[in-house]
Short mmCIF file of all heavy atoms in Angstrom, two decimals:
data_model
loop_
_atom_site.label_atom_id
_atom_site.label_comp_id
_atom_site.label_asym_id
_atom_site.label_seq_id
_atom_site.Cartn_x
_atom_site.Cartn_y
_atom_site.Cartn_z
N LYS A 68 11.16 24.95 -13.69
CA LYS A 68 11.79 23.74 -13.18
C LYS A 68 13.25 23.91 -12.98
O LYS A 68 13.77 23.41 -11.92
CB LYS A 68 11.49 22.62 -14.17
CG LYS A 68 12.18 21.31 -13.92
CD LYS A 68 11.93 20.34 -15.03
CE LYS A 68 13.18 20.24 -15.82
NZ LYS A 68 13.16 19.14 -16.75
N ASP A 69 13.99 24.48 -13.90
CA ASP A 69 15.38 24.50 -13.78
C ASP A 69 15.97 25.50 -12.72
O ASP A 69 17.08 25.33 -12.25
CB ASP A 69 16.05 24.90 -15.20
CG ASP A 69 15.80 23.80 -16.13
OD1 ASP A 69 15.69 22.59 -15.77
OD2 ASP A 69 15.72 24.09 -17.38
N GLU A 70 15.12 26.43 -12.27
CA GLU A 70 15.51 27.40 -11.22
C GLU A 70 14.96 26.92 -9.89
O GLU A 70 15.37 27.51 -8.83
CB GLU A 70 14.97 28.71 -11.56
CG GLU A 70 15.54 29.38 -12.81
CD GLU A 70 14.93 30.80 -13.14
OE1 GLU A 70 14.61 31.45 -12.20
OE2 GLU A 70 14.91 31.01 -14.38
N SER A 71 14.11 25.94 -9.82
CA SER A 71 13.49 25.47 -8.55
C SER A 71 14.54 24.48 -7.93
O SER A 71 15.31 23.91 -8.59
CB SER A 71 12.20 24.71 -8.81
OG SER A 71 11.26 25.66 -9.40
N LYS A 72 14.52 24.42 -6.61
CA LYS A 72 15.44 23.67 -5.94
C LYS A 72 14.80 22.81 -4.78
O LYS A 72 13.64 23.13 -4.35
CB LYS A 72 16.44 24.54 -5.20
CG LYS A 72 17.17 25.42 -6.20
CD LYS A 72 18.11 26.37 -5.53
CE LYS A 72 18.74 27.36 -6.59
NZ LYS A 72 19.64 28.22 -5.96
N TRP A 73 15.41 21.83 -4.27
CA TRP A 73 14.98 21.09 -3.05
C TRP A 73 16.10 20.49 -2.27
O TRP A 73 17.26 20.42 -2.76
CB TRP A 73 14.01 19.98 -3.45
CG TRP A 73 14.57 18.81 -4.30
CD1 TRP A 73 15.27 17.72 -3.84
CD2 TRP A 73 14.55 18.66 -5.74
NE1 TRP A 73 15.61 16.96 -4.84
CE2 TRP A 73 15.24 17.48 -5.97
CE3 TRP A 73 14.03 19.43 -6.72
CZ2 TRP A 73 15.43 17.05 -7.31
CZ3 TRP A 73 14.27 18.99 -8.01
CH2 TRP A 73 14.94 17.88 -8.33
N ALA A 74 15.82 20.25 -1.01
CA ALA A 74 16.85 19.66 -0.10
C ALA A 74 16.16 18.64 0.70
O ALA A 74 15.02 18.79 1.11
CB ALA A 74 17.42 20.79 0.73
N ILE A 75 16.91 17.46 0.89
CA ILE A 75 16.38 16.37 1.63
C ILE A 75 17.02 16.30 2.97
O ILE A 75 18.25 16.24 3.04
CB ILE A 75 16.54 15.04 0.89
CG1 ILE A 75 15.74 15.13 -0.49
CG2 ILE A 75 15.98 13.89 1.65
CD1 ILE A 75 16.07 14.01 -1.49
N GLY A 76 16.22 16.36 4.06
CA GLY A 76 16.81 16.29 5.36
C GLY A 76 16.28 15.09 6.12
O GLY A 76 15.68 14.22 5.60
N GLU A 77 16.61 15.02 7.44
CA GLU A 77 16.26 13.85 8.19
C GLU A 77 14.76 13.76 8.45
O GLU A 77 14.24 12.66 8.65
CB GLU A 77 17.03 13.85 9.48
CG GLU A 77 18.51 13.59 9.36
CD GLU A 77 19.21 13.48 10.69
OE1 GLU A 77 18.58 13.40 11.73
OE2 GLU A 77 20.50 13.50 10.61
N ARG A 78 14.06 14.93 8.42
CA ARG A 78 12.64 14.90 8.78
C ARG A 78 11.75 15.51 7.71
O ARG A 78 10.54 15.47 7.86
CB ARG A 78 12.48 15.67 10.09
CG ARG A 78 13.01 14.93 11.21
CD ARG A 78 12.89 15.73 12.53
NE ARG A 78 13.66 15.05 13.59
CZ ARG A 78 13.12 14.74 14.81
NH1 ARG A 78 11.97 14.99 15.04
NH2 ARG A 78 13.96 14.11 15.59
N HIS A 79 12.33 16.12 6.72
CA HIS A 79 11.51 16.94 5.76
C HIS A 79 12.25 16.93 4.39
O HIS A 79 13.45 16.77 4.35
CB HIS A 79 11.37 18.48 6.13
CG HIS A 79 10.83 18.64 7.44
ND1 HIS A 79 11.57 18.80 8.69
CD2 HIS A 79 9.55 18.90 7.78
CE1 HIS A 79 10.77 18.96 9.65
NE2 HIS A 79 9.52 19.12 9.18
N ILE A 80 11.44 17.17 3.34
CA ILE A 80 12.00 17.50 2.04
C ILE A 80 11.42 18.85 1.79
O ILE A 80 10.16 19.10 1.79
CB ILE A 80 11.48 16.52 0.98
CG1 ILE A 80 11.95 15.09 1.37
CG2 ILE A 80 12.05 16.88 -0.36
CD1 ILE A 80 11.39 14.04 0.51
N VAL A 81 12.27 19.78 1.54
CA VAL A 81 11.96 21.19 1.39
C VAL A 81 12.10 21.60 -0.06
O VAL A 81 13.14 21.43 -0.56
CB VAL A 81 12.77 22.14 2.29
CG1 VAL A 81 12.39 23.62 2.16
CG2 VAL A 81 12.56 21.69 3.75
N PHE A 82 11.10 22.17 -0.62
CA PHE A 82 11.12 22.64 -2.02
C PHE A 82 11.04 24.20 -2.10
O PHE A 82 10.17 24.74 -1.38
CB PHE A 82 9.95 22.12 -2.94
CG PHE A 82 10.00 20.60 -3.10
CD1 PHE A 82 9.46 19.76 -2.08
CD2 PHE A 82 10.46 20.10 -4.24
CE1 PHE A 82 9.44 18.41 -2.36
CE2 PHE A 82 10.47 18.78 -4.42
CZ PHE A 82 10.01 17.79 -3.47
N VAL A 83 11.81 24.86 -2.89
CA VAL A 83 11.67 26.25 -3.24
C VAL A 83 11.40 26.24 -4.76
O VAL A 83 12.34 26.08 -5.51
CB VAL A 83 12.90 27.03 -2.90
CG1 VAL A 83 12.69 28.54 -3.30
CG2 VAL A 83 13.26 26.97 -1.39
N ILE A 84 10.11 26.52 -5.09
CA ILE A 84 9.68 26.34 -6.43
C ILE A 84 9.49 27.70 -7.07
O ILE A 84 8.68 28.49 -6.47
CB ILE A 84 8.35 25.51 -6.55
CG1 ILE A 84 8.66 24.06 -6.00
CG2 ILE A 84 7.82 25.46 -7.95
CD1 ILE A 84 7.45 23.16 -5.85
N ILE A 85 10.11 28.07 -8.12
CA ILE A 85 10.04 29.33 -8.73
C ILE A 85 8.96 29.37 -9.73
O ILE A 85 8.82 28.49 -10.53
CB ILE A 85 11.36 29.70 -9.48
CG1 ILE A 85 12.56 29.48 -8.51
CG2 ILE A 85 11.35 31.07 -10.06
CD1 ILE A 85 12.59 30.39 -7.28
N LYS A 86 8.03 30.41 -9.55
CA LYS A 86 6.89 30.55 -10.48
C LYS A 86 7.32 31.09 -11.82
O LYS A 86 8.28 31.86 -11.92
CB LYS A 86 5.95 31.49 -9.85
CG LYS A 86 5.27 31.15 -8.52
CD LYS A 86 4.45 32.17 -7.90
CE LYS A 86 3.80 31.86 -6.60
NZ LYS A 86 2.99 32.98 -6.08
N GLN A 87 6.51 30.77 -12.81
CA GLN A 87 6.86 31.38 -14.17
C GLN A 87 6.47 32.77 -14.20
O GLN A 87 7.13 33.53 -14.87
CB GLN A 87 6.01 30.57 -15.33
CG GLN A 87 6.67 29.19 -15.61
CD GLN A 87 5.93 28.53 -16.74
OE1 GLN A 87 4.92 28.99 -17.21
NE2 GLN A 87 6.43 27.37 -17.13
N GLU A 88 5.39 33.17 -13.52
CA GLU A 88 4.99 34.55 -13.49
C GLU A 88 4.90 35.03 -12.05
O GLU A 88 4.54 34.41 -11.18
CB GLU A 88 3.60 34.78 -14.09
CG GLU A 88 3.50 34.32 -15.56
CD GLU A 88 2.11 34.36 -16.09
OE1 GLU A 88 1.22 35.01 -15.53
OE2 GLU A 88 1.85 33.71 -17.11
N GLU A 89 5.49 36.23 -11.78
CA GLU A 89 5.50 36.79 -10.51
C GLU A 89 4.18 37.36 -10.11
O GLU A 89 3.68 38.41 -10.58
CB GLU A 89 6.56 37.84 -10.29
CG GLU A 89 7.96 37.28 -10.31
CD GLU A 89 8.99 38.25 -9.84
OE1 GLU A 89 8.61 39.27 -9.07
OE2 GLU A 89 10.22 38.14 -10.14
N GLU A 90 3.40 36.55 -9.38
CA GLU A 90 2.11 37.03 -8.88
C GLU A 90 1.65 36.03 -7.79
O GLU A 90 2.12 34.91 -7.63
CB GLU A 90 1.00 36.90 -9.96
CG GLU A 90 0.81 35.54 -10.50
CD GLU A 90 -0.17 35.35 -11.68
OE1 GLU A 90 -0.84 36.38 -12.02
OE2 GLU A 90 -0.29 34.34 -12.31
#
Side-chain angles (χ1 to χ4, degrees):
K68 172 185 105 169
D69 294 333
E70 295 179 32
S71 299
K72 302 174 184 181
W73 66 85
I75 301 170
E77 290 183 12
R78 296 179 185 230
H79 302 90
I80 301 171
V81 181
F82 293 85
V83 180
I84 299 174
I85 307 302
K86 298 176 181 179
Q87 283 183 357
E88 299 174 20
E89 287 195 25
E90 63 181 351

